[in-house]
Amino acid sequence: MQCSNTNHSFQIHRNDTVGRYAVANSHYKPGDEIFSETPFAIGPKSDGPPVCLGCHIPVDCSTVCTSCKWPVCGRTCETISTHKEAECIVFTRAKVPFQGPANPCLQYECIMPIRVLLAKLRNNERWSREVEMMESHNLARCTQPIWKFNEVNIVKYIRGPCKLGIFTEELIHAVCGILECNAFEAYAKCGYPIRCLYPKLAILSHNCVSNTMHSIDSESFRVTVYASTTIRDGEELFSSYTYSLWPTLVRNEFLLDSKYFQCQCKRCSDPLEMGTHMSSLLCDNCDGILTCESPMNRGNWKCSHCANCRTYLEVKTIFTTLQREIDQNLTGEELLVKYKSSTVERFSLLMMFCKR
């Protein structure tokens, strides 16, 4: 373990397992503010529909910026600095046309990386101090389909049509990785989700039972981090990179796919998820409960009362189906009615995926 530098709220340590992590400099009680920071950049989420490039509300693309001709809500939104002082300048100078609405809109994949790259030019000191050393996991990402996707839709697009050859392919790939591994979800004033890059918040390691929580102001997007439990001087600070209501299978699939690690916390290693049964299923043969016999090793789900058993892939399919139905706007009541009478499966916690 090595201590690299000190913040007024925490010390930054480093090890070979998680890289950088934060250790409290003081004693904090639940609700105490630990630190706050402004985002290095904000922008649309990946793999989404077209949004106003000023306020980030979904749009039908019938109204465009008078300068760059990309979608906005109107004259007010086209003057918002996050757009006007970033991609608007790039698209106007390079005469990059918007090719029309689509969902997902692949042209929008370049927006957030461009905003980060231009923020680097405007504030290279903060980039060097806070952002440059953030983990991009490029060695792992370069073997995944996402690398080729970014190469075509972001790297070549930025250096080609956008005429930003001043940025190397290596740097743009690094920015893509930093965003994929470190960006946090926030909500624009309109209530639509976006992503923000918070360098200090990203130092906190993940834990499914985190000891901090954070709040993001919808006007300034400043994030404030609070203690959610008692934290003693010298204890590590943790945040959560996943939704707390997700079961272990889904949390770890997400962390492996997007953050390139498997969580080893006490919740993930406990088949009962510390007594919450967030991953448990009601047995369809008896009154027992199916739980995973080895959560860290993709074990089978076995009934507590009978020989009924489900494989990891079967349970993953069940969870995926449920999430798809929630995404299709089925209400909790509709899901409860559907699965209560279903001979396929009955769920103990139908709304564990709900993100609304």
Side-chain angles (χ1 to χ4, degrees):
M1 181 178 68
Q2 178 183 359
C3 179
S4 53
N5 63 321
T6 302
N7 181 279
H8 75 280
S9 303
F10 58 83
Q11 289 184 335
I12 302 174
H13 291 250
R14 181 184 296 274
N15 64 31
D16 293 336
T17 302
V18 300
R20 297 186 305 156
Y21 63 97
V23 173
N25 262 346
S26 304
H27 179 91
Y28 296 103
K29 302 186 300 295
D32 284 351
E33 179 179 331
I34 301 176
F35 67 88
S36 67
E37 67 173 323
T38 57
F40 188 77
I42 69 169
K45 296 186 69 175
S46 182
D47 196 33
V51 298
C52 169
L53 292 176
C55 72
H56 302 101
I57 192 172
V59 292
D60 61 10
C61 305
S62 60
T63 303
V64 297
C65 173
T66 56
S67 180
C68 68
K69 312 304 180 186
W70 278 58
V72 292
C73 291
R75 294 297 296 270
T76 299
C77 284
E78 73 177 60
T79 62
I80 294 175
S81 60
T82 49
H83 166 63
K84 184 178 180 180
E85 298 174 7
E87 69 278 348
C88 184
I89 298 173
V90 174
F91 296 155
T92 300
R93 289 178 178 174
K95 297 181 179 179
V96 179
F98 178 66
Q99 297 172 355
N103 191 6
C105 187
L106 295 183
Q107 273 192 293
Y108 268 61
E109 297 296 324
C110 74
I111 300 297
M112 187 63 167
I114 285 177
R115 292 183 180 183
V116 172
L117 292 166
L118 295 184
K120 175 185 183 297
L121 292 182
R122 290 193 300 269
N123 195 346
N124 191 61
E125 189 274 332
R126 187 181 181 193
W127 166 271
S128 300
R129 185 182 73 250
E130 298 183 350
V131 183
E132 188 173 25
M133 72 286 294
M134 296 177 75
E135 183 58 70
S136 64
H137 289 289
N138 275 358
L139 290 178
R141 291 174 57 254
C142 70
T143 65
Q144 303 298 318
I146 189 62
W147 186 271
K148 183 62 176 179
F149 177 87
N150 289 343
E151 178 77 21
V152 173
N153 295 289
I154 300 176
V155 177
K156 292 187 180 300
Y157 194 75
I158 288 176
R159 288 173 52 82
C162 295
K163 300 180 181 179
L164 291 177
I166 58 172
F167 301 116
T168 66
E169 291 188 10
E170 181 183 17
L171 174 61
I172 300 173
H173 271 300
V175 167
C176 291
I178 286 171
L179 288 170
E180 289 162 14
C181 299
N182 298 280
F184 281 79
E185 184 176 81
Y187 288 88
K189 192 175 181 180
C190 64
Y192 195 74
I194 61 171
R195 54 179 170 168
C196 299
L197 186 61
Y198 297 108
K200 288 170 63 177
L201 179 57
I203 295 172
L204 276 60
S205 295
H206 166 80
N207 194 300
C208 296
V209 188
S210 61
N211 55 10
T212 70
M213 56 186 176
H214 63 266
S215 175
I216 300 174
D217 181 84
S218 61
E219 292 278 358
S220 66
F221 297 103
R222 171 176 284 275
V223 65
T224 303
V225 179
Y226 303 92
S228 57
T229 65
T230 297
I231 303 172
R232 294 176 177 83
D233 187 0
E235 287 187 355
E236 184 173 357
L237 301 175
F238 293 105
S239 65
S240 177
Y241 303 167
T242 68
Y243 291 99
S244 296
L245 294 182
W246 281 353
T248 296
L249 182 155
V250 178
R251 294 195 313 276
N252 272 310
E253 288 276 335
F254 171 80
L255 292 171
L256 282 169
D257 290 344
S258 63
K259 311 298 182 183
Y260 302 95
F261 71 88
Q262 181 177 16
C263 184
Q264 305 285 334
C265 76
K266 59 183 180 181
R267 178 180 173 186
C268 287
S269 60
D270 181 3
L272 304 184
E273 294 206 39
M274 302 172 66
T276 65
H277 284 281
M278 293 298 291
S279 296
S280 301
L281 303 177
L282 293 179
C283 181
D284 50 352
N285 289 337
C286 69
D287 293 329
I289 297 174
L290 279 75
T291 57
C292 184
E293 59 181 351
S294 181
M296 306 303 294
N297 298 301
R298 300 190 174 189
N300 293 331
W301 263 252
K302 292 187 175 181
C303 179
S304 58
H305 287 59
C306 72
N308 193 13
C309 179
R310 295 276 184 167
T311 67
Y312 177 91
L313 290 179
E314 286 177 323
V315 175
K316 181 179 178 180
T317 299
I318 292 170
F319 289 163
T320 301
T321 300
L322 178 58
Q323 180 61 69
R324 186 183 304 118
E325 293 182 337
I326 291 175
D327 291 341
Q328 292 171 352
N329 293 319
L330 287 181
T331 66
E333 182 178 357
E334 290 171 327
L335 288 169
L336 286 167
V337 170
K338 176 177 180 178
Y339 285 102
K340 183 177 180 180
S341 59
S342 172
T343 58
V344 177
E345 197 65 63
R346 292 178 291 145
F347 291 93
S348 56
L349 288 169
L350 285 175
M351 295 310 292
M352 56 193 168
F353 288 101
C354 189
K355 294 185 282 187
R356 295 195 292 262

